[in-house]
Amino acid sequence: MTVVDQTPSEPVDARGRVAELHSLRGQALSGPSDRATEAQHAKGKLTARERIALLLDEGSFREVEQLRRHRATGFGLEAKKPYTDGVITGWGTVDGRTVFVYAHDFRIFGGALGEAHAAKIHKIMDMALAAGAPLVSLNDGAGARIQEGVSALAGYGGIFQRNTRASGVIPQISVMLGPCAGGAAYSPALTDFVFMVRETSQMFITGPDVVRAVTGEEITQNGLGGADVHAETSGVAHFAYDDEETCLAEVRYLLAMLPSNNRESPPAVDCDDAVGRRSDRLLDIVPADGNRPYDMRKVIGELVDDGDFLEIHERWATNIICALSRLDGRVVGIVANQPQSLAGVLDIEASEKAARFVQMCDAFSIPIVTLLDVPGFLPGVDQEHGGIIRHGAKLLYAYCNATVPRISVILRKAYGGAYIVMDSQAIGADLTYAWPANEVAVMGAEGAANVIFRKQIAEAEDPEAMRARMVKEYKAELMHPYYAAERGLVDDIIDPAETREVLITSLAMLRTKHADLPSRKHGNPPQ
């Protein structure tokens, strides 16, 4: 059944008015029709209200402007004025903490944004910022409402402006549960985290039809902007899941790691994992041979509370790991090279991924622990022409600009400019520790010997023997484990098994850290 303009009749008394109110609320809650709900479910998608129910604590949702309707005319709109105007807005709680939410209702105008629809979103965004509480958007809309013309487009401008104003002030999370095309895709891109669901959610600026018309390329919606594309290739999506229930459960988990706003600390929890728990397994996980790979995730699992952590951008730029976890019940951000992927080198995508994560942690008062095992920046023409200098500078800028507690641990090797960029003491790390097998140097011994002793090697009767001798000499002079400690470049050499305790006690000391940045409107970070 199509919902038409239902102008309230004049009730005869107060009870009649209340009965009428409940009737109107019933219409708003039920949506346009059972058929529209069935069509939504047939696509493997939940309705907007079902999604809100999964996201928020049971019974906590308080809706705002439920009875709002558009006032547009023309193209048949005056005869079709459903309540909510295709977006449900309000607030509730997640684990007892206030969270604001808006959810597109695809059953009404395909979730398309019109003037009233946009005004509702603007209002709830303003409320979230004023209250200092996270904002979650459940996106399932067909873009601007064409029948309303430029008024709909202007509504997006108001959303973008508010996304930017709230950036770094309150956590903003975008959950993609349907199509998101054109300018609508820029709001999620401005938020802190983007979640997607495989098969049912897509994001792109121009759809497959436009791509085909302009370039002749044939591609499906999922092939162009599906969850896996954005989670693995473009880096637009931080998380991708197979179903909405899992996705929304993970949104709740992420919210538990974040503060309500930038004036608060992330929520702490009771922890049964002992502060002084030794982890002798680390000696087996990390090979002494710097050329042998290992899984850095196993190292992180040994250090953090109960081995539990949430990896951000898990499938994009896999040569670096960014994760949120807890140490002694308190949230920390972890940045770590991943020797299992490209030997853990820094490249363009890894630099961008880690830089954004460091900025997010700094904005929301989350201490940063950096685990180094980095052979340098990835060499190559593609990297240089792609701008590795400016992209690598993004990570350098993010660390230098961060005022939260920062601790770095050199597990094995830390070579060249990548060592400096990965939160070295030289760029402001509060504390730097190293394991006994660490190698801190300008480059690996083999490369260094080839440069420094090139002439001697070339003139030797046995160049290979001379090269081996020079490599050994260089290691003995400049790459022994205590070289950096002797020069004050690391604060201590620690037993790997004691790393957890060292991190927790160090972070406890740094909890009252206070740092001021120079007075300025804002910096001009590399782009």
Side-chain angles (χ1 to χ4, degrees), residues 82 163 334 354:
N163 284 139
I334 298 172

Side-chain angles (χ1 to χ4, degrees), residues 183-202:
Y186 283 114
S187 177
L190 288 168
T191 60
D192 299 302
F193 299 98
V194 176
F195 287 73
M196 294 188 74
V197 175
R198 294 184 180 91
E199 302 301 325
T200 58
S201 65
Q202 302 89 28

